[in-house]
């Protein structure tokens, strides 16, 4: 019998001056494999330099796969289009966190556990009044999520699998309540208690918009649309906020602290804050005497660093599959709400002009997930400042799944990048009296 041939381990060669190194290649199941450079410093004395990590994989991950050229996004192997059409946010959350779609019993236990923990501690309500009512919701949310650790101190050990599970449930359960309370406080309206008979997304809407003296009925199509938006945002592999969550967690900080740090990263206008920035940009065009063409010209001239918000992506260079789904949802929601939206017309005009313009075509800039979401959120009644917290709620299971994968991975070490130092070489301290004035 012929001996079974072992697959040959791929290697890459790196020449540094007169030294040649064989670097092992970690095979991907799909997409780019990784050249393992972890020994380069030890063996050559050099570090690798990759600003913005555009060529650097920080980990191995089995959660989300993106092919940016082909416009593919899959969670645990399942195409985003199928999940958006057939699944629910909580089911997708389970899939991301535990790796497989749940069976009926697993799903029911998961949903029930989350529902059971949706109340916030009564004392916690005072927290929302400690900030200015018009303070940005992302800042309040970031502080609130970090603060959960103080109420659930006995759950915070990230190395204990049972406690990790409890952190998972508590975050999934309490963050929507927290976001609703932030919205209510900003509007000066009374807070409601969660209702167990409502679905996760339905009750989030009720807590945000419902009033104690009115029954709250909402079109199931709107609940479904918001649930779908949460699915579309649920994970996106090693983006800025997720990498932040992993970096903070790599120091064995608890999940609340790590997710809270992720919220900070997400708030930036180049990341999750773009959904808010898009609406402001559209409003600015609408309220000025600028035409859409004038605005596009301003972007192309890079005037005052103006960018077309909601366009472009580090990974997608063809189209963002989430944007295509959001665009069709936008039409459905506006129709459902009986609204014609001037901003939608403006957005579509902007998209048409940009997609046929060489500046955007050459740089492969297409609408991303944030381009149309704001229009939907706005039609649903969310104030502009609440858009990024909605992104955060959608992204929550992804952050949790990535945290759990990171903490259980034997390859994980505390994240501690190197640098190429380009500052002054050694010099001696000069006492103040002897320094030349500049
Ligand atoms: N409008 C105008 N020009 C742009 C834009 C834009 N939105 N995005 C990139 N460019 C240009 C950029 O000026 C540069 O041009 P040049 O080669 O002449 O210097 C070129 O395209 C490459 O840009 P980059 O900044 O090197 O690309 P990046 O991969 O570092 O940035 C991005 C990706 C998403 C930060 C960027 O496209 C951007 O700022 N977009 C607008 C903000 C936005 O919509 N963010 C949401 C991203 S999707 C949701 C999420 O995951 O958070």
């Amino acid at each position: 019998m012929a001996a079974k041939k072992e697959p040959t381990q791929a290697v890459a060669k790196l020449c540094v001056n007169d030294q040649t190194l064989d670097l092992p290649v970690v095979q991907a199941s799909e997409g780019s494999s990784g050249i393992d450079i972890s020994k380069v410093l030890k063996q050559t004395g050099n570090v690798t330099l990759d600003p913005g990590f555009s060529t650097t994989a920080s980990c191995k991950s089995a959660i989300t796969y993106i092919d940016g050229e082909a416009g593919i996004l899959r969670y645990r192997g399942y195409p985003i289009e199928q999940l958006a059409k057939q699944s629910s946010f909580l089911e997708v959350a389970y899939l991301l966190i535990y790796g497989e779609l749940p069976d009926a019993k697993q799903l029911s236990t998961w949903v029930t556990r989350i529902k059971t923990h949706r109340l916030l501690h009564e004392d916690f309500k005072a927290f929302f009044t400690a900030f200015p009512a018009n303070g940005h919701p992302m800042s309040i949310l970031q502080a609130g999520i970090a603060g959960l650790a103080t109420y659930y101190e006995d759950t915070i050990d990230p190395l204990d699998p049972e406690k990790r599970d409890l952190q998972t449930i508590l975050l999934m359960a309490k963050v929507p309540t927290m976001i609703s309370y932030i919205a209510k406080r900003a509007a000066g309206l009374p807070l409601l208690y969660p209702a167990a008979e409502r679905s996760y997304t339905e009750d989030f809407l009720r807590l945000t918009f419902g009033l104690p003296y009115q029954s709250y009925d909402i079109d199931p199509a709107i609940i479904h649309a918001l649930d779908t938006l949460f699915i579309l945002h649920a994970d996106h592999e090693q983006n800025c906020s997720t990498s932040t969550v992993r970096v903070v967690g790599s120091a064995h900080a608890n999940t609340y602290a790590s997710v809270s740090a992720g919220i900070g990263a997400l708030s930036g206008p180049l990341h999750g804050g773009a959904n808010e920035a898009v609406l402001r940009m559209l409003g600015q065009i609408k309220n000025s005497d600028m035409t859409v063409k004038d605005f596009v010209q301003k972007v192309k001239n890079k005037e005052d660093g103006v960018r077309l918000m909601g366009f472009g992506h580090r990974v997608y260079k063809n189209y963002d599959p989430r944007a295509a789904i959001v665009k069709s949802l936008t039409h459905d929601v506006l129709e459902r709400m009986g609204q014609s939206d001037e901003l939608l017309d403006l957005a579509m005009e902007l998209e048409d002009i940009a997609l046929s313009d060489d500046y955007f075509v050459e740089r492969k800039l297409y609408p991303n997930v944030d381009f149309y979401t704001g229009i939907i959120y706005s039609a649903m009644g969310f104030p502009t400042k609440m858009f990024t917290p909605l992104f955060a709620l959608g992204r929550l299971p992804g952050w949790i799944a990535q945290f759990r994968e990171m903490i259980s991975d034997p390859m994980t070490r505390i994240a501690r990048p190197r640098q190429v130092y380009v500052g002054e070489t050694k010099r001696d301290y000069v006492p103040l009296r002897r320094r030349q004035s500049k």
Side-chain angles (χ1 to χ4, degrees), residues 236 239 266 268-275 278 299-300 302 306-315 317 320 322 359-360 363 365 368-371 391 395:
H236 216 231
N239 58 83
L266 189 76
L270 297 190
H271 192 8
N275 56 15
V278 170
V299 170
K300 286 163 61 179
K302 300 188 176 173
V306 178
R307 285 193 164 197
L308 183 46
M309 299 313 281
F311 255 68
H313 198 276
R314 173 63 61 78
V315 183
K317 298 299 173 198
D320 179 339
R322 302 167 301 172
Y359 175 96
F360 297 91
R363 289 170 179 77
L365 300 170
N368 58 49
V369 69
D370 288 325
F371 194 62
F391 188 152
R395 183 56 53 88

